[in-house]
């Protein structure tokens, strides 16, 4: 009751829409509230996927070397975006939601300011690391000749603006922590449109604008991100949001850094491990030739599309769970987590199952080679039904972020990484067929989903268990 009065008193000082948002997060029906938070994210993440398709189209006009260069640097770009957005941004959203759930608006505002400092520090670290060692890293990934030169040119511009990349994702995390999903998603759509227009114009040239090639494409991305930073800063610092980062009289508090980093840093290991898994599998399957490797690539494209949908539900659950934990309502937080997992499992399972049953339309979007088509059909019929477990694991990962303890799902990903590495080594020693490797991938997804659920079930959430509804 004391927590409830504190929340009511804090919310009385906020505009009516903000009070409604806080009450809905804490007391609204779980499934409708989750869906209302998820659909803006789905639109925003879908726009991001369209950017990747559009970029592939106009970069292709720069030549096959440019396409190869983008393929070389793209995993590093995605890793950076995942760490800044899904991992650290999720940690920021969760910490702010827990503070608001406890009725401590001042702490939430101080957390927002500390989050901006984290964005700057991590952005500078990525910038310096890639400017100093980026070319060598691209060489280790297989870059040679003109492909290496173009990949290096792109990465120098992109990672030269790494602070901007981190700021735009952390600011979105601040807004999502307050339950505001619509503005970040609207800005992602706006950024996608700007990025496509600017990237194409600066990359290929248009009218008086000369062709800058790959650096132009990267510059378009950074300009689009800068407009989003300006819009979110205006919204937050103008007082239109539930909180505003506290600058006047600000002093650093290591406890607030720890509140964010204890989730964000650990969460960063999940996209890192996922990137390692993809590299291992690509290396193993490359031994069977182009057709099998192409089949894996087509499968991972489907996984990426479905992951964006799973992320939409997962990100939506973070403020709901964080507010509930902050208010001491652990039982509600767990109900939100299991509801999110069930929804992600059903939706991703239905979509992936449909592709597994009728894979040809999806495969035909990418390739018409007969041997690659056959390998892709085998891959999707073996692996696609298990993408539902990836959706479930994603929901558990984000739910754990909201609760402030993401170690369990990250360790589940570690087990999957070890399982694939050891299993792949064993199958290679037995000269196994591609079908055996496909089965290994499917089994690893089942392992990940199961262990993620076990981790959530066994991990203690909140200061103590409760039975509040």
């Amino acid at each position: 009751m004391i927590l409830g009065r504190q929340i009511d008193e804090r919310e009385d000082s906020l505009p009516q829409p903000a009070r409604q948002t806080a009450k809905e997060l804490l007391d609204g029906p779980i499934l409708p509230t989750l869906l209302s938070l998820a659909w803006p994210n789905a639109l925003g993440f879908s726009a991001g996927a369209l950017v990747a398709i559009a970029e592939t189209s106009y970069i292709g006009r720069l030549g096959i070397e440019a396409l190869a260069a983008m393929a070389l640097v793209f995993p590093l770009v995605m890793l950076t975006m995942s760490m800044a957005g899904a991992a650290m941004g999720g940690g920021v959203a969760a910490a702010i939601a827990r503070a608001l759930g406890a009725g401590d608006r001042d702490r939430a505002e101080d957390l927002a300011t500390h989050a901006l400092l984290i964005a700057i520090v991590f952005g500078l670290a990525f910038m310096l690391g890639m400017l100093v060692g980026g070319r060598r890293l691209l060489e280790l990934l297989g870059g040679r000749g003109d492909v290496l030169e173009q990949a290096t040119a792109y990465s120098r511009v992109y990672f030269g603006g790494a602070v901007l990349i981190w700021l735009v994702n952390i600011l979105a995390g601040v807004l999502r922590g307050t339950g505001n999903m619509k503005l970040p998603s609207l800005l992602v759509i706006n950024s996608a449109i700007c990025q496509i227009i600017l990237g194409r114009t600066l990359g290929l040239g248009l009218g008086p604008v000369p062709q800058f090639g790959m650096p132009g494409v990267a510059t378009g991305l950074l300009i689009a991100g800068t407009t989003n930073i300006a819009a979110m800063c205006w919204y937050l610092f103008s007082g239109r949001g539930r909180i505003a980062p506290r600058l006047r009289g600000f002093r650093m508090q290591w406890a607030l850094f720890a509140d964010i980093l204890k989730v964000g840093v650990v969460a960063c290991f999940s996209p890192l491990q996922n990137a390692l898994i993809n590299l291992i599998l690509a290396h193993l399957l490359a031994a069977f030739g182009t057709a099998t490797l192409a089949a894996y690539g087509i499968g991972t494209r489907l996984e990426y599309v479905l992951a964006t949908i799973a992320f939409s539900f997962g990100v939506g659950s973070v403020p709901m769970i964080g507010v509930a934990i902050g208010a001491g309502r652990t039982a509600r937080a767990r109900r939100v987590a299991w509801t999110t997992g069930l929804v992600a499992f059903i939706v991703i399972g239905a979509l992936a199952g449909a592709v597994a049953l009728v894979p040809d339309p999806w495969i035909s979007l990418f390739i018409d080679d007969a041997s690659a088509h056959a390998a892709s059909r085998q891959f999707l019929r073996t692996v696609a039904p298990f993408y539902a477990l990836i959706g479930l694991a994603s929901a558990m990962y984000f739910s754990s972020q909201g609760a402030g303890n993401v170690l369990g799902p990250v360790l589940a990903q570690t087990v999957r990484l070890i399982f694939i590495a050891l299993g792949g080594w064993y199958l290679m020693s037995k000269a196994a067929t591609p079908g055996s490797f496909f089965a290994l991938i499917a089994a690893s997804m089942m392992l990940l989903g199961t262990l993620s659920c076990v981790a959530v079930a066994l991990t203690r959430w909140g200061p103590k268990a409760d039975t509040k509804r």
Side-chain angles (χ1 to χ4, degrees), residues 259-283:
D259 198 12
I260 296 171
L261 295 175
K262 71 179 182 181
V263 174
V265 170
V266 176
C268 282
F269 283 95
S270 183
L272 179 60
Q273 290 179 130
N274 192 59
L276 289 174
I277 287 171
N278 288 331
L279 287 173
I280 290 172
L281 289 174
H283 175 74

Side-chain angles (χ1 to χ4, degrees), residues 294-319:
Y296 175 66
I298 289 171
T300 55
R301 285 173 186 263
L302 176 61
E303 183 178 347
Y304 172 73
V305 171
L306 295 176
T308 61
I309 300 173
F311 284 5
S312 302
F313 295 116
V315 170
S317 74
V318 170

